[in-house]
Structures are given as C-alpha cells and as structure tokens.
Amino acid sequence: MQESIGVKLKSKEGEEDVANIIEVKEETKYKIMFTFGVFVLLSSLLFNSPSEIYSGLLNILLDPSILVSDYMAIGNIGAALFNSGALIIIAIVIAKINRVDMNGTTLAVVFTVGGFALFGKNLYNVWSIIMGVYLYSSYKKEKFSKVILIALFGTALAPLVSQISFGIGFPIVQAIILGNIFGLIAGFVLPPLAQHFIKFHQGFNIYNMGFTAGMVGTFLMAILRAFNIENEKRLIIAEGYNQVLSIYLAVIFASIIILGFVLNKKSFNGYKGLLKRTGRLVQDFVLLDGFGLTLINMGLLGVITTGYILLVRGQLNGPIIGGIFTVVGFGAFGKHIKNVFPVIVGVFLSSLIMTWDVNTTGPLLAVLFGTTLAPIAGEFGWKAGIIAGFLHMAMVMNIGYLHGGVNLYNNGFSGGLVAAALVPILESLKRRE
C-alpha cells in the first residue's frame, strides 16, 4: 500500500533538503476518496426516506440556485447530501477516466465540488460548463486531462445555468437551451482566463478559479442586465440542525485524521515541516508531504473550522458545511492550521466593529472562504494575515452584486482583488534579511 521515498525539495534559502515521504498508491487514494463519496451519498438515508430525498432532489434540480441557496432548506438534508455524494463520485470518476493523479489539486476539487453541491451545484447545472471546457480542449487539440480540474472548479458558475433556466421567467424550453448556451460559453473561456488571472494576484489567492469565475460572471451578468434581466438578492438557509450535523462532521473529520495517521506510519512525523509552507500557489501537499500527512492536515482544518462555527453560535447548514468542506479540501493544496488562523482572526475582528454580526451567514462564510488568503499570512506573517482577513470582510460583503450571485466562489473573487491590492504594498514594506 505504501512505502517511504526520498524527495529533494528546495528550502527558502535555495538549499536542497531530503524529505521522507510515505508514498501511497494511486489506486489506494482513489479507493479512499470513492469511499468518501459513497459514504456522503448513503448517509443521506440517515436523515430522510428515499421518497423524501427524491422529492427534495427535484426541488434542488429546478431551483435557480444563485447565492445563497441552501439545498438543505430548498430540499432537505438527505437530498442535499445525496446531491453532494453523487457529484463527488462523478468528479472522481471523471478524474479517474482521464488518468488524473489523486494529488492535492484533485483532493481540493473533489471536496470543493462536494461542498458546493450543498448550496449551488447540482446534477443538472454543472454539465454544460464541463462540456464548454471540453470543447475548448478539443479546439486547442489538447488532452481533456490537462484542463479537467479547471472544468470541475469552473462549475462555480453553475448557478448561471440554473438561474437562466428557471429563474428569469422565460418559456421553459427556450430558457433551458439559453441557460446551457451560457454555460457552454462560460466553460469555453475559463481555461485561458484562469491561466492569465493567476498573475493578477501572484498566487496569493488560493481560489484562483473563484476570481476567474467572478470576472466571467460579471461580464455575462452585464450582458443580461443590458436586456433588463436582473437577479434578486437571495438568502435561503436552514437552521436548527447543529447537534446532528456537528456529530456528522465529527465522524467525518475524525475518520480522516485517523486514516491519515495510519497511512503516515501511525505518526504525525513531518507535520511541522508542512506548517512551514507558505501555501502560495502552487504548493501540493500530497506531492510535498505525502498523502497521509495531508489527510491529517485536512481533518484538523475540519475540526478547527467546525469548532469556530459552534463557538460563535453559528448555524451548521448547506453553505456553512460547504465552506468547511472547501477549507478541508484545500488543506491538500495550500492551507494549514498555521496560515489560516490569522485570516480567521482578521475576519472575526472586523465583524466585531463592522455592521454585520459575527454569527450570521455572511461573516461566517467570509471566515471560512476568506482563508483563500492564507498564503499572505504564510509569506508575510500573522499580522499581514489579520489585515488581509479584515479587508476581505469588507470587500466580500459588497462584491456579490457584480456577478448577481451566479459565481459561487464569491470569496475567491474578493480574495483576488484583496491580494492584488495588498501584496504589492506588503512586498514593498518587507525588510530584506
């Protein structure tokens, strides 16, 4: 199943270090992730009956799904988890068919897809965007595997398809056709833009696709507004499920930590080295530190973020669990407990003095998804991380209008702007050693 290998890594000083990474076979990694997807799907039956899941899933598929649309409220908990588990399995199968390694980026995309399948992505609205990316790869005569992760992350714009299909009042057939045409266009332009926009924030915004999708969503929403089509503000959330959902998440994250511990030869060896990484794109923890150690990091992030929500007396629901899952996923690709903490503190402090309450949906989502700016704390220190979190809170609460809620990665859009403005200032003030 596993073996130790030596990998040469460059330190900040440019010297080569040899890290002993416990290698896990790709087949084993895929089996573990597939099991996770099946667990999420089947766990839906713990909350609702098959008939309730079916009727709830229909409500989810026919919903406009723009931000913020909690599938646990629109359907029910079981339907939301079934939708999430199904999309997790689909993402894994697509990656497997295209022979994509189960590395940090793939783990991040699987958990992100599963998380947002609780409040915006569903079994209807993701396909035209994925197909649009596929058409781009065909046009460029490149392998789809080269852009498959962009296709899956690009489903951030899935609400664009649902909103046009079911939310603007057009005749249903024409609306579905138009919605999927917009999805194809969005998917087609995402790959070249994603490669370009990473330069804008210099890799300090981990959710690069969020910024890219935000730009695309803004342009497409501007076209719709030019024809007097506007999206209404939305906030549909479920409440009152903290006890059962906290137990559910505790089981998941405890299992991830234990599994990582076993795969890392029943130890936490190497975790201090992982915490020294800045998280700046591109840092793949699976490749740099091993699959087992990465799972430990992911599980710890899940425990910490869930604990924060409960500590401030927030509500566990679709969007919040989606945010927690996304943080956990990027625990394989840039985030760890050291570089996310200052950003969380920054958002928390801002919510104490700004107009929003700390335990309402917006600030809670800002805390979770604002950790997209974790590389700033990793690179420039905890004070910079707090400043980044503070600024992010103000920005993210005002930027949703631009894309009309069709970009699910709203915090990634905001994070790109904050990083682009803040990083040059921090670099200019950074003392030379």
Side-chain angles (χ1 to χ4, degrees):
M1 179 188 294
Q2 57 192 51
E3 58 182 349
S4 296
I5 59 172
V7 178
K8 288 185 178 180
L9 303 173
K10 290 276 188 176
S11 66
K12 287 185 177 180
E13 292 75 23
E15 298 176 355
E16 288 188 344
D17 297 323
V18 177
N20 291 320
I21 298 174
I22 300 173
E23 182 71 9
V24 178
K25 294 181 179 179
E26 286 298 319
E27 182 181 356
T28 302
K29 296 177 188 176
Y30 265 98
K31 286 181 179 179
I32 290 172
M33 292 310 300
F34 188 80
T35 301
F36 170 68
V38 172
F39 169 79
V40 173
L41 188 147
L42 294 181
S43 66
S44 62
L45 296 171
L46 297 175
F47 298 93
N48 294 97
S49 66
S51 61
E52 290 173 336
I53 292 172
Y54 176 76
S55 60
L57 192 59
L58 283 181
N59 291 337
I60 288 171
L61 296 177
L62 298 176
D63 190 78
S65 296
I66 60 174
L67 287 175
V68 177
S69 301
D70 186 349
Y71 286 165
M72 290 186 177
I74 292 168
N76 48 58
I77 295 179
L81 290 176
F82 185 93
N83 184 64
S84 176
L87 284 181
I88 288 173
I89 292 171
I90 288 171
I92 293 171
V93 170
I94 291 175
K96 180 67 173 177
I97 291 174
N98 289 276
R99 299 180 180 179
V100 177
D101 288 342
M102 187 57 70
N103 52 29
T105 336
T106 312
L107 285 173
V109 79
V110 168
F111 273 86
T112 300
V113 168
F116 281 92
L118 298 173
F119 72 115
K121 301 181 183 182
N122 59 56
L123 291 166
Y124 162 69
N125 62 17
V126 301
W127 294 107
S128 59
I129 295 172
I130 294 174
M131 182 57 65
V133 178
Y134 176 78
L135 291 176
Y136 172 83
S137 67
S138 297
Y139 176 79
K140 295 288 291 184
K141 297 181 180 180
E142 297 175 346
K143 291 183 178 180
F144 185 47
S145 59
K146 186 177 179 180
V147 292
I148 185 64
L149 297 179
I150 292 178
L152 294 173
F153 275 128
T155 52
L157 289 169
L160 177 70
V161 179
S162 288
Q163 172 66 1
I164 296 176
S165 297
F166 309 117
I168 60 177
F170 282 7
I172 187 65
V173 175
Q174 293 93 320
I176 289 176
I177 293 173
L178 183 62
N180 283 279
I181 288 174
F182 267 73
L184 287 170
I185 294 171
F188 190 87
V189 301
L190 281 175
L193 291 177
Q195 296 172 15
H196 175 76
F197 282 138
I198 195 172
K199 302 174 184 177
F200 182 75
H201 52 76
Q202 303 179 59
F204 285 96
N205 173 35
I206 295 180
Y207 303 160
N208 180 53
M209 187 54 67
F211 182 78
T212 306
M215 294 297 290
V216 174
T218 297
F219 274 101
L220 294 179
M221 197 62 217
I223 294 174
L224 292 176
R225 287 183 175 128
F227 290 92
N228 201 30
I229 299 173
E230 183 60 86
N231 296 346
E232 295 182 1
K233 290 184 178 180
R234 207 177 204 216
L235 181 60
I236 301 175
I237 55 172
E239 296 182 347
Y241 299 108
N242 275 18
Q243 183 175 1
V244 64
L245 291 177
S246 60
I247 295 173
Y248 179 75
L249 293 178
V251 171
I252 291 177
F253 300 140
S255 300
I256 292 175
I257 293 172
I258 293 171
L259 181 59
F261 182 78
V262 172
L263 292 176
N264 199 51
K265 290 190 174 180
K266 298 181 180 180
S267 74
F268 293 97
N269 291 339
Y271 193 58
K272 287 184 179 180
L274 187 152
L275 295 180
K276 293 179 181 179
R277 305 198 183 284
T278 64
R280 182 180 179 183
L281 294 178
V282 177
Q283 288 190 0
D284 189 322
F285 292 163
V286 174
L287 298 179
L288 295 172
D289 301 284
F291 188 71
L293 205 58
T294 299
L295 289 180
I296 293 173
N297 185 57
M298 294 166 67
L300 290 174
L301 284 171
V303 171
I304 290 172
T305 49
T306 303
Y308 174 88
I309 300 300
L310 297 176
L311 185 64
V312 300
R313 298 182 180 179
Q315 292 291 319
L316 291 173
N317 48 42
I320 299 303
I321 295 177
I324 293 171
F325 273 14
T326 303
V327 174
V328 170
F330 277 89
F333 194 63
K335 297 183 184 182
H336 50 68
I337 58 177
K338 185 178 179 180
N339 65 5
V340 304
F341 186 73
V343 180
I344 291 175
V345 171
V347 177
F348 173 77
L349 292 176
S350 69
S351 64
L352 294 180
I353 64 175
M354 293 181 183
T355 187
W356 305 283
D357 293 331
V358 66
N359 60 355
T360 53
T361 302
L364 292 178
L365 291 177
V367 161
L368 296 170
F369 291 115
T371 54
T372 183
L373 295 170
I376 292 180
E379 181 75 21
F380 300 104
W382 63 269
K383 294 179 182 178
I386 291 176
I387 294 172
F390 193 93
L391 295 176
H392 177 77
M393 177 66 175
M395 177 67 74
V396 75
M397 298 299 284
N398 290 281
I399 205 170
Y401 170 79
L402 293 178
H403 53 76
V406 301
N407 172 32
L408 291 172
Y409 306 166
N410 187 51
N411 282 264
F413 190 20
S414 170
L417 295 174
V418 172
L422 185 58
V423 168
I425 297 173
L426 293 173
E427 286 183 334
S428 68
L429 298 177
K430 187 177 182 181
R431 293 181 179 179
R432 294 182 177 272
E433 295 183 3

